[in-house]
Amino acid sequence: MASPPLAGIRVIELARILAGPWAGQLLADLGADVIKVENPAGGDDTRRWGPPFVKSHDGENLSAAYYHSTNRGKRSIALDFATPEGAATLKRLIGSADVIIENFKLGGLKKYGLDYESLRTANPRLVYCSITGFGQTGPYAARPGYDFIIQGMAGMMSITGEPGREPQKAGVAISDVFTGLYAVIAIQAALRHVEQTGEGQHIDMALFDSQISILGNQNLNYLVSGKPPVQIGNAHMNIAPYEVLPVADGHIILAVGNDGQFRNLCKVIGLDALADDAAFATNPARVENRAELRKTLIGQLASWQKDTLLAKLEAANVPASPINNIAETFADPQTIARGLRMDLDDGHGNRLPSVRAPMLMSKTPPVYERPSPRLGEHTDEILAELEAREK
């Protein structure tokens, strides 16, 4: 088996909470040596973002589950770069690095000589990725960035939730997660540029930009029509029926994407004539008459048991599914078959839960050699490597 694709790449992570660490974790999965720099006085804030907390076999608190969700595969060095000695050590460490990921406020690292302009002369190949709420430019650049606020400001919450009800954020910090993913894409592209030219560069990532970008078709719905999309609950702006519907023992998802699937749905549930009704025969007609369609479907599905209906819909090639909670998701045979849950040995007699990255690569698979590090766990190891390198 070949080495992982980013083997030999060293990343210095000056980041905490989610977006920056999410990027660092993915780079570690792909084989990079990711060194997480943490303040000795507590480390990453998410170590304390619990309960729940991960416990060792002897009851030791190994940090919050939140921390472990985004720091797998890294090494941790405890270093206070607010001190001259700490800053000097960090600059030496950066001299061996290919990438820096940082999520400090605008200009927050300049006073330590750790901003891109200060570092690029000593290391012209350095790829320096800054992650902030609003980016390095614009009237909001100095504002702190919080996923919840970004979802509100960047349009996400205006299209999430039921009509007439309180706007809703997504159930996970999607602005942070997607910014982390986009950061990894940009970092890999910048590393390719380094290979070709020897030149590093500064990457400016903003949660605000990422959240707007991922609105996808909703952006174009507005830009083409001039009408901003609104909350429509679980329904789809452009397709019907594509929503949650009640049945006798709960709810199911129907995701009917074309007229043939709609005809098959009608046949399964005993509404054959509906597929030939001009008000529902085509997707544009169904979208126009979605309220009447929903009412009809609710009445027809009221007597159906969820499992029975889903089996018949699957046999008829009608896209539909249950709505699993997360426990049900991890118990699902597809989840088990794909090996999405992992338990990683921390070298201290503990098996720590994790979730693998969603890439399966036949030649250069991701590596999962260590769980999230304890605070400063690798300080001595990293400093010893640095001393040896400088001799």
Side-chain angles (χ1 to χ4, degrees), residues 336-360:
I336 295 169
R338 298 289 287 178
L340 282 153
R341 173 176 175 156
M342 305 183 298
D343 292 292
L344 304 178
D345 186 347
D346 75 344
H348 302 278
N350 304 298
R351 300 286 292 176
L352 305 185
S354 193
V355 180
R356 73 162 175 83
M359 305 98 61
L360 292 178

Side-chain angles (χ1 to χ4, degrees), residues 139-363:
Y140 303 157
R143 293 186 184 182
Y146 299 93
D147 177 272
F148 194 3
I149 288 173
I150 298 297
Q151 287 196 42
M153 292 184 66
M156 180 68 189
M157 290 177 64
S158 75
I159 57 173
T160 306
E162 296 179 345
R165 302 289 296 275
E166 179 181 283
Q168 292 288 308
K169 67 178 180 64
V172 72
I174 59 171
S175 301
D176 276 314
V177 169
F178 272 97
T179 303
L181 295 176
Y182 277 125
V184 169
I185 295 168
I187 287 167
Q188 291 181 113
L191 288 171
R192 176 63 173 153
H193 180 73
V194 172
E195 289 180 357
Q196 294 173 321
T197 68
E199 295 178 337
Q201 61 184 290
H202 187 207
I203 299 170
D204 175 6
M205 297 297 308
L207 272 66
F208 186 73
D209 299 358
S210 296
Q211 180 61 80
I212 292 175
S213 177
I214 66 171
L215 295 184
N217 62 295
Q218 297 284 37
N219 286 333
L220 269 292
N221 286 339
Y222 164 67
L223 293 174
V224 170
S225 72
K227 300 176 181 178
V230 298
Q231 293 168 283
I232 57 171
N234 288 308
H236 194 292
M237 283 289 292
N238 306 108
I239 311 171
Y242 201 98
E243 58 196 289
V244 172
L245 287 162
V247 293
D249 58 343
H251 293 80
I252 66 165
I253 292 172
L254 269 180
V256 175
N258 59 53
D259 298 340
Q261 291 172 355
F262 181 68
R263 182 172 294 277
N264 290 344
L265 166 67
C266 292
K267 186 178 296 185
V268 167
I269 64 176
L271 288 175
D272 300 65
L274 201 65
D276 295 317
D277 187 325
F280 308 110
T282 66
N283 182 69
R286 292 192 296 275
V287 170
E288 181 71 22
N289 297 294
R290 68 165 73 243
E292 185 180 350
L293 175 61
R294 178 176 174 81
K295 182 178 178 181
T296 301
L297 291 175
I298 288 174
Q300 192 71 10
L301 296 177
S303 61
W304 281 86
Q305 297 292 312
K306 180 169 52 177
D307 290 346
T308 301
L309 177 58
L310 288 173
K312 288 184 176 296
L313 292 175
E314 182 175 6
N317 296 315
V318 177
S321 77
I323 301 172
N324 292 333
N325 63 34
I326 293 177
E328 291 168 331
T329 297
F330 275 97
D332 190 286
Q334 183 67 15
T335 306
I336 295 169
R338 298 289 287 178
L340 282 153
R341 173 176 175 156
M342 305 183 298
D343 292 292
L344 304 178
D345 186 347
D346 75 344
H348 302 278
N350 304 298
R351 300 286 292 176
L352 305 185
S354 193
V355 180
R356 73 162 175 83
M359 305 98 61
L360 292 178
M361 304 167 70
S362 64
K363 297 296 184 182

